[in-house]
PDB file of all heavy atoms in Angstrom:
ATOM      1  N   LEU A 175       9.032  14.259   5.687  1.00 99.00           N
ATOM      2  CA  LEU A 175       8.881  12.923   5.089  1.00 99.00           C
ATOM      3  C   LEU A 175      10.253  12.295   4.879  1.00 99.00           C
ATOM      4  O   LEU A 175      11.217  13.002   4.566  1.00 99.00           O
ATOM      5  CB  LEU A 175       8.170  13.025   3.731  1.00 99.00           C
ATOM      6  CG  LEU A 175       6.708  13.469   3.771  1.00 99.00           C
ATOM      7  CD1 LEU A 175       6.216  13.807   2.366  1.00 99.00           C
ATOM      8  CD2 LEU A 175       5.819  12.391   4.402  1.00 99.00           C
ATOM      9  N   ILE A 176      10.312  10.995   5.032  1.00 98.00           N
ATOM     10  CA  ILE A 176      11.519  10.237   4.675  1.00 98.00           C
ATOM     11  C   ILE A 176      11.102   9.238   3.601  1.00 98.00           C
ATOM     12  O   ILE A 176      10.094   8.535   3.766  1.00 98.00           O
ATOM     13  CB  ILE A 176      12.103   9.490   5.886  1.00 98.00           C
ATOM     14  CG1 ILE A 176      12.432  10.467   7.021  1.00 98.00           C
ATOM     15  CG2 ILE A 176      13.351   8.694   5.477  1.00 98.00           C
ATOM     16  CD1 ILE A 176      13.059   9.827   8.256  1.00 98.00           C
ATOM     17  N   THR A 177      11.872   9.175   2.533  1.00 98.00           N
ATOM     18  CA  THR A 177      11.453   8.279   1.450  1.00 98.00           C
ATOM     19  C   THR A 177      11.978   6.864   1.621  1.00 98.00           C
ATOM     20  O   THR A 177      13.008   6.629   2.272  1.00 98.00           O
ATOM     21  CB  THR A 177      11.904   8.772   0.060  1.00 98.00           C
ATOM     22  OG1 THR A 177      13.293   8.510  -0.113  1.00 98.00           O
ATOM     23  CG2 THR A 177      11.578  10.226  -0.173  1.00 98.00           C
ATOM     24  N   GLN A 178      11.269   5.980   0.982  1.00 97.00           N
ATOM     25  CA  GLN A 178      11.758   4.616   0.772  1.00 97.00           C
ATOM     26  C   GLN A 178      13.047   4.711  -0.038  1.00 97.00           C
ATOM     27  O   GLN A 178      13.258   5.697  -0.763  1.00 97.00           O
ATOM     28  CB  GLN A 178      10.671   3.851  -0.015  1.00 97.00           C
ATOM     29  CG  GLN A 178      10.962   2.409  -0.279  1.00 97.00           C
ATOM     30  CD  GLN A 178      11.163   1.625   1.011  1.00 97.00           C
ATOM     31  OE1 GLN A 178      12.273   1.658   1.556  1.00 97.00           O
ATOM     32  NE2 GLN A 178      10.136   0.948   1.490  1.00 97.00           N
ATOM     33  N   LEU A 179      13.901   3.703   0.080  1.00 96.00           N
ATOM     34  CA  LEU A 179      15.150   3.715  -0.696  1.00 96.00           C
ATOM     35  C   LEU A 179      14.835   3.704  -2.196  1.00 96.00           C
ATOM     36  O   LEU A 179      13.802   3.175  -2.627  1.00 96.00           O
ATOM     37  CB  LEU A 179      15.994   2.503  -0.331  1.00 96.00           C
ATOM     38  CG  LEU A 179      15.408   1.124  -0.602  1.00 96.00           C
ATOM     39  CD1 LEU A 179      15.895   0.582  -1.944  1.00 96.00           C
ATOM     40  CD2 LEU A 179      15.773   0.161   0.504  1.00 96.00           C
ATOM     41  N   PHE A 180      15.705   4.323  -2.945  1.00 96.00           N
ATOM     42  CA  PHE A 180      15.578   4.331  -4.405  1.00 96.00           C
ATOM     43  C   PHE A 180      16.987   4.418  -4.978  1.00 96.00           C
ATOM     44  O   PHE A 180      17.929   4.850  -4.295  1.00 96.00           O
ATOM     45  CB  PHE A 180      14.722   5.523  -4.885  1.00 96.00           C
ATOM     46  CG  PHE A 180      15.277   6.848  -4.481  1.00 96.00           C
ATOM     47  CD1 PHE A 180      16.151   7.544  -5.302  1.00 96.00           C
ATOM     48  CD2 PHE A 180      14.966   7.404  -3.246  1.00 96.00           C
ATOM     49  CE1 PHE A 180      16.697   8.760  -4.910  1.00 96.00           C
ATOM     50  CE2 PHE A 180      15.508   8.621  -2.846  1.00 96.00           C
ATOM     51  CZ  PHE A 180      16.368   9.301  -3.688  1.00 96.00           C
ATOM     52  N   PHE A 181      17.140   3.994  -6.223  1.00 96.00           N
ATOM     53  CA  PHE A 181      18.474   3.975  -6.836  1.00 96.00           C
ATOM     54  C   PHE A 181      18.588   4.910  -8.019  1.00 96.00           C
ATOM     55  O   PHE A 181      19.645   4.987  -8.639  1.00 96.00           O
ATOM     56  CB  PHE A 181      18.825   2.539  -7.261  1.00 96.00           C
ATOM     57  CG  PHE A 181      18.844   1.572  -6.109  1.00 96.00           C
ATOM     58  CD1 PHE A 181      17.845   0.615  -5.974  1.00 96.00           C
ATOM     59  CD2 PHE A 181      19.837   1.632  -5.149  1.00 96.00           C
ATOM     60  CE1 PHE A 181      17.855  -0.269  -4.909  1.00 96.00           C
ATOM     61  CE2 PHE A 181      19.855   0.756  -4.080  1.00 96.00           C
ATOM     62  CZ  PHE A 181      18.855  -0.199  -3.953  1.00 96.00           C
ATOM     63  N   ASP A 182      17.487   5.564  -8.358  1.00 97.00           N
ATOM     64  CA  ASP A 182      17.476   6.438  -9.528  1.00 97.00           C
ATOM     65  C   ASP A 182      17.001   7.825  -9.077  1.00 97.00           C
ATOM     66  O   ASP A 182      15.824   8.004  -8.733  1.00 97.00           O
ATOM     67  CB  ASP A 182      16.510   5.836 -10.569  1.00 97.00           C
ATOM     68  CG  ASP A 182      16.450   6.669 -11.833  1.00 97.00           C
ATOM     69  OD1 ASP A 182      16.966   7.800 -11.839  1.00 97.00           O
ATOM     70  OD2 ASP A 182      15.860   6.176 -12.815  1.00 97.00           O
ATOM     71  N   ASN A 183      17.913   8.785  -9.080  1.00 98.00           N
ATOM     72  CA  ASN A 183      17.567  10.115  -8.575  1.00 98.00           C
ATOM     73  C   ASN A 183      16.416  10.761  -9.339  1.00 98.00           C
ATOM     74  O   ASN A 183      15.662  11.554  -8.778  1.00 98.00           O
ATOM     75  CB  ASN A 183      18.792  11.036  -8.628  1.00 98.00           C
ATOM     76  CG  ASN A 183      19.791  10.702  -7.530  1.00 98.00           C
ATOM     77  OD1 ASN A 183      19.563   9.789  -6.742  1.00 98.00           O
ATOM     78  ND2 ASN A 183      20.895  11.439  -7.482  1.00 98.00           N
ATOM     79  N   GLU A 184      16.299  10.429 -10.619  1.00 98.00           N
ATOM     80  CA  GLU A 184      15.218  11.040 -11.416  1.00 98.00           C
ATOM     81  C   GLU A 184      13.855  10.715 -10.807  1.00 98.00           C
ATOM     82  O   GLU A 184      12.938  11.538 -10.829  1.00 98.00           O
ATOM     83  CB  GLU A 184      15.274  10.549 -12.870  1.00 98.00           C
ATOM     84  CG  GLU A 184      16.452  11.101 -13.661  1.00 98.00           C
ATOM     85  CD  GLU A 184      16.519  12.633 -13.627  1.00 98.00           C
ATOM     86  OE1 GLU A 184      15.463  13.275 -13.757  1.00 98.00           O
ATOM     87  OE2 GLU A 184      17.624  13.176 -13.439  1.00 98.00           O
ATOM     88  N   LEU A 185      13.727   9.504 -10.284  1.00 98.00           N
ATOM     89  CA  LEU A 185      12.448   9.106  -9.674  1.00 98.00           C
ATOM     90  C   LEU A 185      12.141   9.985  -8.459  1.00 98.00           C
ATOM     91  O   LEU A 185      11.019  10.422  -8.262  1.00 98.00           O
ATOM     92  CB  LEU A 185      12.510   7.638  -9.230  1.00 98.00           C
ATOM     93  CG  LEU A 185      12.578   6.609 -10.343  1.00 98.00           C
ATOM     94  CD1 LEU A 185      12.909   5.237  -9.783  1.00 98.00           C
ATOM     95  CD2 LEU A 185      11.247   6.570 -11.077  1.00 98.00           C
ATOM     96  N   PHE A 186      13.174  10.228  -7.672  1.00 98.00           N
ATOM     97  CA  PHE A 186      12.986  11.085  -6.492  1.00 98.00           C
ATOM     98  C   PHE A 186      12.599  12.500  -6.915  1.00 98.00           C
ATOM     99  O   PHE A 186      11.691  13.107  -6.344  1.00 98.00           O
ATOM    100  CB  PHE A 186      14.271  11.122  -5.651  1.00 98.00           C
ATOM    101  CG  PHE A 186      14.218  12.121  -4.521  1.00 98.00           C
ATOM    102  CD1 PHE A 186      13.617  11.803  -3.314  1.00 98.00           C
ATOM    103  CD2 PHE A 186      14.747  13.406  -4.683  1.00 98.00           C
ATOM    104  CE1 PHE A 186      13.545  12.736  -2.275  1.00 98.00           C
ATOM    105  CE2 PHE A 186      14.679  14.339  -3.652  1.00 98.00           C
ATOM    106  CZ  PHE A 186      14.087  14.003  -2.449  1.00 98.00           C
ATOM    107  N   LEU A 187      13.293  13.013  -7.923  1.00 98.00           N
ATOM    108  CA  LEU A 187      13.060  14.410  -8.319  1.00 98.00           C
ATOM    109  C   LEU A 187      11.655  14.587  -8.888  1.00 98.00           C
ATOM    110  O   LEU A 187      10.972  15.567  -8.574  1.00 98.00           O
ATOM    111  CB  LEU A 187      14.122  14.860  -9.326  1.00 98.00           C
ATOM    112  CG  LEU A 187      15.559  14.870  -8.759  1.00 98.00           C
ATOM    113  CD1 LEU A 187      16.573  15.163  -9.854  1.00 98.00           C
ATOM    114  CD2 LEU A 187      15.687  15.876  -7.611  1.00 98.00           C
ATOM    115  N   SER A 188      11.185  13.610  -9.677  1.00 98.00           N
ATOM    116  CA  SER A 188       9.828  13.804 -10.200  1.00 98.00           C
ATOM    117  C   SER A 188       8.797  13.574  -9.097  1.00 98.00           C
ATOM    118  O   SER A 188       7.779  14.268  -9.055  1.00 98.00           O
ATOM    119  CB  SER A 188       9.558  12.964 -11.451  1.00 98.00           C
ATOM    120  OG  SER A 188       9.794  11.644 -11.178  1.00 98.00           O
ATOM    121  N   PHE A 189       9.089  12.669  -8.171  1.00 98.00           N
ATOM    122  CA  PHE A 189       8.193  12.499  -7.010  1.00 98.00           C
ATOM    123  C   PHE A 189       8.094  13.817  -6.224  1.00 98.00           C
ATOM    124  O   PHE A 189       7.005  14.260  -5.860  1.00 98.00           O
ATOM    125  CB  PHE A 189       8.732  11.370  -6.110  1.00 98.00           C
ATOM    126  CG  PHE A 189       8.235  11.413  -4.693  1.00 98.00           C
ATOM    127  CD1 PHE A 189       6.991  10.914  -4.359  1.00 98.00           C
ATOM    128  CD2 PHE A 189       9.014  11.982  -3.684  1.00 98.00           C
ATOM    129  CE1 PHE A 189       6.522  10.983  -3.055  1.00 98.00           C
ATOM    130  CE2 PHE A 189       8.557  12.048  -2.386  1.00 98.00           C
ATOM    131  CZ  PHE A 189       7.300  11.547  -2.067  1.00 98.00           C
ATOM    132  N   ARG A 190       9.241  14.443  -6.015  1.00 98.00           N
ATOM    133  CA  ARG A 190       9.249  15.697  -5.255  1.00 98.00           C
ATOM    134  C   ARG A 190       8.450  16.785  -5.988  1.00 98.00           C
ATOM    135  O   ARG A 190       7.697  17.535  -5.374  1.00 98.00           O
ATOM    136  CB  ARG A 190      10.704  16.144  -5.037  1.00 98.00           C
ATOM    137  CG  ARG A 190      10.846  17.317  -4.083  1.00 98.00           C
ATOM    138  CD  ARG A 190      12.299  17.678  -3.846  1.00 98.00           C
ATOM    139  NE  ARG A 190      12.979  18.135  -5.050  1.00 98.00           N
ATOM    140  CZ  ARG A 190      14.217  18.603  -5.091  1.00 98.00           C
ATOM    141  NH1 ARG A 190      14.920  18.680  -3.978  1.00 98.00           N
ATOM    142  NH2 ARG A 190      14.766  18.996  -6.213  1.00 98.00           N
ATOM    143  N   ASP A 191       8.612  16.840  -7.316  1.00 98.00           N
ATOM    144  CA  ASP A 191       7.846  17.826  -8.102  1.00 98.00           C
ATOM    145  C   ASP A 191       6.341  17.626  -7.918  1.00 98.00           C
ATOM    146  O   ASP A 191       5.598  18.584  -7.707  1.00 98.00           O
ATOM    147  CB  ASP A 191       8.167  17.693  -9.604  1.00 98.00           C
ATOM    148  CG  ASP A 191       9.543  18.258  -9.930  1.00 98.00           C
ATOM    149  OD1 ASP A 191      10.122  18.948  -9.064  1.00 98.00           O
ATOM    150  OD2 ASP A 191      10.038  17.984 -11.041  1.00 98.00           O
ATOM    151  N   VAL A 192       5.921  16.365  -8.000  1.00 98.00           N
ATOM    152  CA  VAL A 192       4.477  16.093  -7.869  1.00 98.00           C
ATOM    153  C   VAL A 192       4.017  16.462  -6.459  1.00 98.00           C
ATOM    154  O   VAL A 192       2.966  17.081  -6.267  1.00 98.00           O
ATOM    155  CB  VAL A 192       4.170  14.603  -8.182  1.00 98.00           C
ATOM    156  CG1 VAL A 192       2.700  14.300  -7.945  1.00 98.00           C
ATOM    157  CG2 VAL A 192       4.558  14.261  -9.604  1.00 98.00           C
ATOM    158  N   ALA A 193       4.832  16.085  -5.460  1.00 98.00           N
ATOM    159  CA  ALA A 193       4.473  16.401  -4.070  1.00 98.00           C
ATOM    160  C   ALA A 193       4.289  17.910  -3.912  1.00 98.00           C
ATOM    161  O   ALA A 193       3.296  18.380  -3.344  1.00 98.00           O
ATOM    162  CB  ALA A 193       5.546  15.880  -3.118  1.00 98.00           C
TER     163      ALA A 193
END
Side-chain angles (χ1 to χ4, degrees):
L175 293 168
I176 302 182
T177 76
Q178 183 59 277
L179 61 96
F180 59 91
F181 300 109
D182 181 349
N183 285 0
E184 289 306 318
L185 292 169
F186 172 83
L187 296 173
S188 56
F189 159 81
R190 189 177 64 175
D191 286 347
V192 176

